[in-house]
Amino acid sequence: ARGRAAVGAAAAPPSEWRGADLKKLGTCVAIAAALWFCPAPAGVTPKAWHLFALFVGTITGIITTPLPLGAVAMMGLGASTLTRTLTFKEAFSAFSSEIPWLIALAFFLAEGFIKTGLGNRIAYLIVRAFGKTTLGLTYSLVASEALLAPAIPSVAARAGGIFMPLAKALCLACGSDPEKGTERLMGAYVMKVLFQCTTISSSMFITAMAANPLAVNLASNAIGQTISWGQWALAASVPGIVCLLSVPLILYVLYPPEMKDSPEAPAKAQEELDKLGPMSTNEKIMAVTLAITVGLWVFGSSIGIGNVAAALAGVSILLTTGIVTWKECLSKNAAWDTYIWFAALIAMAGCLSKFGFISWLSDQVVAVLGTLGLPWQGSFALIVLIYFYSHYLFASGAAHIGAMYTAFLSVAVANYGIGSAPPIFSQNYNTLQDWYKLGGILSVFYLAVWLGIGGAWWKFLGLW
């Protein structure tokens, strides 16, 4: 019996490894170590260079994700303090910053928005009113998504939790099913437009995407310029609206649906509204809470109320009324994970600036641009192009902004990728070739709108 037990024990399968992806983690460590032991360039202190090495290793981890982002960020801070590159106070300085708290609180507000069903109700009402044609249906989805963008800080949550399921249900109701080979009937067009417009709406509000507050904080650290929620929304409004109105029409020409009418969509939306029934008390409370919070985000600065105070007011109402419980807030892993890696990146980037590395890097890029003999407009355009298309190298907007935003912003001032893609693309309505080809074409349009129309709008606002 003991022999059989021993044989059984020997034959037992090994336990599954639950730790980090050691190959990816090893790559991060190797890159950081290689930079660490390289001599610091002239004009850069050893301390600044060592922090840069650790920062690059951390960013590599955020791109490759050998562990969840929060864990990668904590390891980066751990390495910074263990090597005495940063003090504890420096490493954790950003954990008291407003921006990480703002984005975490916005996740809690989004929990109430989704939990009460108010988000779905608004989307269905718009589809019922405007969804009789494929183009009208698409515009109704775009409008709904843009309307909810300021209230839901995760573009992946908006796309995956609300609009992708809604769009797929509507497409299937109209007979567009990739499993039956009818994806081009309307689903391919609708899904591609929906994805593109999530990227636009995510750029229109600070709280529409988790990476936006990081850009605000980095801008504040790099050039001392604070951007309020209202300032961001006002500056982005004109180019953003132009893009939201134009993209469905552009794709209607370049990637047309075979079905031009969608009479089933309003009926499907009404069916879902009937299931929801009359507007509940919780939905009404959520609507009032959202109105108060967004109103304070827009106008609060005029009466001395900051963005975090406004978000705290909204969350307090939801906690008091039981719309959201504290236990649910504690269980929002995405909120706390985002809070941690946001604060870690802000702290490391802030210290890079404090130690003089960002100003040194800016001077190097300015010197290179100076050899090209370009006017400031040409230099600025070149910086924007490099920054814009470098996003293809990154798996997330946050990684892109954390790695490149501060340095490129410093150069611009001195001298003058996204969570909605996986849930939408995974529905198999679009081929990879179409996805990239159309994205490339639209990228040129986006640059023209934001630099052309946006630039003129910002000039009118007195921003330059």
Side-chain angles (χ1 to χ4, degrees), residues 138 141-150 152-164 167 190-205 208-210 212 240 243-244 247-248 251 417-425 435 442 446 450:
T138 306
L141 289 171
V142 169
S144 303
E145 198 278 335
L147 185 64
L148 302 188
I152 302 178
S154 169
V155 64
R158 288 201 311 276
I162 297 178
F163 288 97
M164 183 280 292
V190 170
M191 291 294 185
K192 185 58 180 174
V193 171
L194 179 61
F195 164 70
Q196 290 295 331
C197 289
T198 61
T199 67
I200 298 166
S201 64
S202 295
S203 69
M204 295 177 66
F205 309 96
M209 184 174 72
N212 292 346
C243 288
L244 288 176
V247 166
L251 289 176
I418 199 166
S420 56
I424 294 177
F425 181 76
W435 191 267
L442 287 171
Y446 295 149
W450 286 87

Side-chain angles (χ1 to χ4, degrees), residues 36-372:
W36 178 283
F37 290 109
C38 284
V44 178
T45 65
K47 187 174 186 179
W49 182 251
H50 289 162
L51 179 58
F52 173 68
L54 296 174
F55 182 73
V56 171
T58 303
I59 289 294
T60 304
I62 286 177
I63 295 171
T64 59
T65 61
L67 285 167
L69 299 188
V72 171
M74 289 300 287
M75 291 176 71
L77 291 183
S80 299
T81 52
L82 284 170
T83 58
R84 293 188 292 183
T85 305
L86 295 179
T87 64
F88 176 85
K89 185 177 181 180
E90 289 171 332
F92 289 86
S93 59
F95 282 79
S96 60
S97 172
E98 286 191 356
I99 299 300
W101 278 111
L102 174 62
I103 206 67
L105 292 168
F107 272 99
F108 303 153
L109 289 168
E111 174 70 15
F113 200 68
I114 296 172
K115 179 181 175 182
T116 60
L118 180 61
N120 284 336
R121 183 180 296 277
I122 292 173
Y124 289 133
L125 285 170
I126 294 177
V127 171
R128 184 183 68 178
F130 303 105
K132 292 182 180 180
T133 65
T134 299
L135 190 60
L137 169 65
T138 306
Y139 270 115
S140 67
L141 289 171
V142 169
S144 303
E145 198 278 335
L147 185 64
L148 302 188
I152 302 178
S154 169
V155 64
R158 288 201 311 276
I162 297 178
F163 288 97
M164 183 280 292
L166 173 58
K168 184 175 182 179
L170 293 171
C171 291
L172 292 175
C174 295
S176 184
D177 186 348
E179 293 186 3
K180 298 178 180 178
T182 57
E183 62 274 7
R184 287 302 302 270
L185 197 63
M186 68 177 291
Y189 167 75
V190 170
M191 291 294 185
K192 185 58 180 174
V193 171
L194 179 61
F195 164 70
Q196 290 295 331
C197 289
T198 61
T199 67
I200 298 166
S201 64
S202 295
S203 69
M204 295 177 66
F205 309 96
I206 287 180
T207 52
M209 184 174 72
N212 292 346
L214 178 60
V216 172
N217 197 282
L218 293 177
S220 178
N221 289 338
I223 62 174
Q225 179 65 51
T226 302
I227 305 172
S228 70
W229 194 95
Q231 288 172 330
W232 181 300
L234 180 62
S237 60
V238 171
I241 290 172
V242 169
C243 288
L244 288 176
L245 293 176
S246 302
V247 166
L249 290 174
I250 294 172
L251 289 176
Y252 199 76
V253 174
L254 298 178
Y255 199 51
E258 296 173 359
M259 176 187 290
K260 309 299 183 184
D261 298 316
S262 55
E264 295 88 351
K268 177 67 175 177
Q270 183 60 56
E271 179 184 326
E272 296 298 328
L273 285 169
D274 291 340
K275 291 179 182 178
L276 290 175
M279 193 171 183
S280 66
T281 301
N282 284 350
E283 286 180 273
K284 294 175 182 177
I285 294 172
M286 186 66 230
V288 172
T289 302
L290 185 62
I292 292 173
T293 304
V294 174
L296 288 174
W297 278 339
V298 175
F299 304 109
S301 59
S302 62
I303 55 176
I305 297 178
N307 291 334
V308 173
L312 281 170
V315 171
S316 297
I317 295 172
L318 297 184
L319 289 171
T320 301
T321 57
I323 303 297
V324 174
T325 66
W326 182 240
K327 186 176 181 179
E328 288 171 330
C329 292
L330 292 175
S331 68
K332 290 299 293 182
N333 296 333
W336 297 112
D337 186 58
T338 302
Y339 168 76
I340 289 172
W341 65 257
F342 252 60
L345 283 185
I346 290 172
M348 295 180 79
C351 286
L352 278 174
S353 180
K354 174 184 173 182
F355 297 164
F357 181 84
I358 298 302
S359 60
W360 171 84
L361 181 61
S362 173
D363 291 341
Q364 304 310 303
V365 178
V366 168
V368 172
L369 290 175
T371 63
L372 301 178

Side-chain angles (χ1 to χ4, degrees), residues 7-17:
V7 171
S15 58
E16 182 181 356
W17 173 254

